Amino acid sequence: MSAELKQATQAPRVLTGLGATRSFGTEKASYWRDGVSAKEDYRYWAMFEYLKLSPSFLAVSAHLRGTRCKYPLPTDFEVVSAVAKDFSLVSTEVEPWEWWKQEGKHLFGIRTPDVKVRVFPEVLTEKKNAISVSWDRSDAIVLRVSLNQTKREAMALISRELEKQEFSKGPPEQYLPKYSFMTSKIRHSSLALGAQVLSYYTISERELPLWWIGNAFGLIPGQCFTEEQMERSDHQELAAKRNVLTIAASRLIRTSILIAENAARGRFPSAEPFPEAQRDAYKRTPGRRKSS
């Protein structure tokens, strides 16, 4: 057995819910600081990672740059092209945080302030007789409330004053984010683990066996084994464990490819199959892998 394959039989790296999600951040954007508002969400980073694993996205991005790509252009080129143009930095070597600052927050954020009331706690007195309130990128009403009245009287006056103002009846179309996430049952940990496994499956220099990948990522902890356990196990038992790990890795890879291909069409997170998905782009040559 080669040293590379033996490495997979070291103590399996079982990725739990916490461990599997550390690669995805939850950055947000504040209107007052960034010019857009975007809530915290780990799926920003998940989509970033999956787009880099989509054959359709990579093929179209290369075509738009005028470079070659080993993957064919998808039949729904125009659909993927629109996403590839919006997420143009993803196909480069840019770091995730740089992508978020330059591109991501503008795609998932809205150019309007967070929906909240800002309170200026200063009370005007003889000693503190002035306060400065600046325009913060959006129109606002600033009220001065005298304290020599009851709270009920003040609230009634505020309510009458607010009735005179033109408030939004709902979010205008231009305030909706260009991209939003789908409601999905795919778990946070599953997204993180799927991206890692698919990345290892596609980027590794050698075509490592699926059982190797399943063992290295601890897809089924009860079936994983260390080098010491491998030497003690009989061939039949070891073959059974490898078979289970192969099936688990294969299923996760197929699902992850669909998630990546859906992401290339602006649908995320989704593992629904569709005709245009390049599901066989990463298909390996049939036959037993040559041993080292």
Side-chain angles (χ1 to χ4, degrees):
M1 179 186 297
S2 68
E4 185 175 11
L5 287 179
K6 280 187 177 181
Q7 183 184 353
T9 63
Q10 304 303 314
R13 181 162 58 95
V14 180
L15 302 183
T16 61
L18 173 64
T21 59
R22 288 175 179 166
S23 60
F24 295 151
T26 57
E27 182 68 338
K28 63 180 180 179
S30 169
Y31 182 81
W32 316 107
R33 182 190 68 217
D34 306 306
V36 294
S37 301
K39 298 179 180 179
E40 287 189 14
D41 203 312
Y42 68 88
R43 290 173 295 184
Y44 303 140
W45 311 117
M47 187 168 180
F48 175 87
E49 296 295 337
Y50 274 98
L51 282 175
K52 294 192 297 183
L53 296 168
S54 166
S56 295
F57 181 82
L58 295 176
V60 172
S61 297
H63 178 81
L64 294 176
R65 294 195 306 267
T67 58
R68 286 189 172 189
C69 181
K70 60 182 178 180
Y71 305 118
L73 290 175
T75 55
D76 56 343
F77 174 84
E78 293 300 329
V79 176
V80 181
S81 177
V83 176
K85 290 175 182 177
D86 287 336
F87 291 81
S88 59
L89 289 179
V90 175
S91 60
T92 66
E93 296 299 321
V94 67
E95 291 294 325
W97 298 109
E98 192 62 33
W99 165 79
W100 172 253
K101 288 191 296 182
Q102 294 188 39
E103 204 170 67
K105 65 185 180 184
H106 300 286
L107 297 174
F108 292 101
I110 53 177
R111 295 186 176 279
T112 185
D114 300 324
V115 182
K116 63 181 179 181
V117 176
R118 299 187 67 195
V119 178
F120 301 92
E122 290 88 346
V123 176
L124 295 179
T125 65
E126 186 176 352
K127 293 183 178 180
K128 174 69 175 180
N129 54 26
I131 183 174
S132 176
V133 180
S134 301
W135 182 73
D136 289 326
R137 299 176 183 249
S138 66
D139 296 342
I141 178 173
V142 180
L143 301 177
R144 181 181 183 274
V145 182
S146 299
L147 297 180
N148 62 341
Q149 59 186 324
T150 66
K151 185 182 293 186
R152 177 174 294 183
E153 289 174 330
M155 294 302 295
L157 290 172
I158 291 173
S159 180
R160 285 199 295 270
E161 189 61 37
L162 294 180
E163 288 294 330
K164 301 176 184 179
Q165 306 303 319
E166 290 292 332
F167 285 90
S168 173
K169 300 296 189 297
E173 185 176 350
Q174 64 267 28
Y175 287 162
L176 296 176
K178 189 166 188 178
Y179 288 88
S180 57
F181 297 116
M182 300 176 64
T183 301
S184 173
K185 294 182 179 180
I186 303 175
R187 294 179 299 175
H188 185 169
S189 57
S190 298
L191 275 179
L193 183 56
Q196 293 177 75
V197 168
L198 183 57
S199 176
Y200 208 88
Y201 176 75
T202 59
I203 299 176
S204 58
E205 296 180 0
R206 302 179 58 191
E207 290 190 357
L208 297 171
L210 292 180
W211 69 261
W212 193 103
I213 297 174
N215 193 59
F217 284 94
L219 297 188
I220 303 182
Q223 299 297 317
C224 294
F225 48 86
T226 63
E227 182 177 358
E228 183 180 354
Q229 292 170 333
M230 185 177 182
E231 292 174 351
R232 292 202 311 261
S233 301
D234 60 57
H235 292 296
Q236 194 170 15
E237 180 185 0
L238 190 60
K241 287 187 175 183
R242 285 183 174 182
N243 185 54
V244 173
L245 290 170
T246 295
I247 293 172
S250 179
R251 286 177 177 172
L252 182 56
I253 289 168
R254 288 200 302 268
T255 298
S256 299
I257 289 175
L258 281 174
I259 294 175
E261 284 291 88
N262 273 291
R265 277 82 180 169
R267 304 185 293 264
F268 191 85
S270 173
E272 291 297 318
F274 58 99
E276 298 82 7
Q278 298 197 44
R279 302 172 68 173
D280 295 330
Y282 297 135
K283 193 172 184 179
R284 291 178 173 180
T285 304
R288 183 181 296 273
R289 179 183 175 277
K290 295 181 179 179
S291 59
S292 301

